Amino acid sequence: MRTSRTVRRSRLWRWRRNPLRRREDVLEAWILLAVWLVVAVAGPVAGVLSARATVDSLAQRRAERQAVTATLVRDASDPFTGGGTVGDRVVGTVRWTARDGAARTGETQVPTGAKAGEEVIVWTDRQGRLAPEPQSPGEADIEAAFMGAASFAAVAAAAAAGFYGAHVVLERRRGRAWDEDWQKADSQWGRATS
């Protein structure tokens, strides 16, 4: 009685000696190993560097911005009658005193329904111009984590795309080599190929 043996394929089969193995198989295996190393090493490095750069950039922006008390010049417009809206805020005209003592006027986001003469907090940059409110440290951490993950994903996607391109080229070379081998075998057997 014959017993059937299960043939196990080793994960490193492309490096083993095999009469059907081609140079393209070995090259593809090395490229795949390089891709995994890139993803395992360069991906986390890119993610950490991107996250740190984001944290530093947002911290610098927070340090450059200053909260200033401004006075609303006109009533904040109703969001349904015009003017830009963002959540519970609308665009309104405010007047404030810059660091150099000069009175300035500009448009920024103010609470909906605020009346003329009300004091509101606005943010200015180093030159005393109106600027968006900087992100809190918690929001900055979330954005940094997102940017780090996006950088890691970009490295992984680029490596995968590179491997796919190499695989396509090597697959074409393997196909041509197999065609040549079949033509040689056919001619040895005395058959004409079409």
Side-chain angles (χ1 to χ4, degrees), residues 36-90:
W36 279 111
L37 286 173
V38 165
V39 170
V41 175
V45 168
V48 167
L49 291 177
S50 176
R52 282 188 181 169
T54 302
V55 166
D56 292 345
S57 171
L58 294 175
Q60 180 181 1
R61 193 177 300 165
R62 254 191 324 277
E64 292 174 352
R65 305 276 167 88
Q66 178 182 8
V68 176
T69 303
T71 305
L72 195 58
V73 175
R74 288 187 291 259
D75 290 350
S77 61
D78 182 10
F80 298 109
T81 60
T85 66
V86 177
D88 61 344
R89 301 178 71 80
V90 295

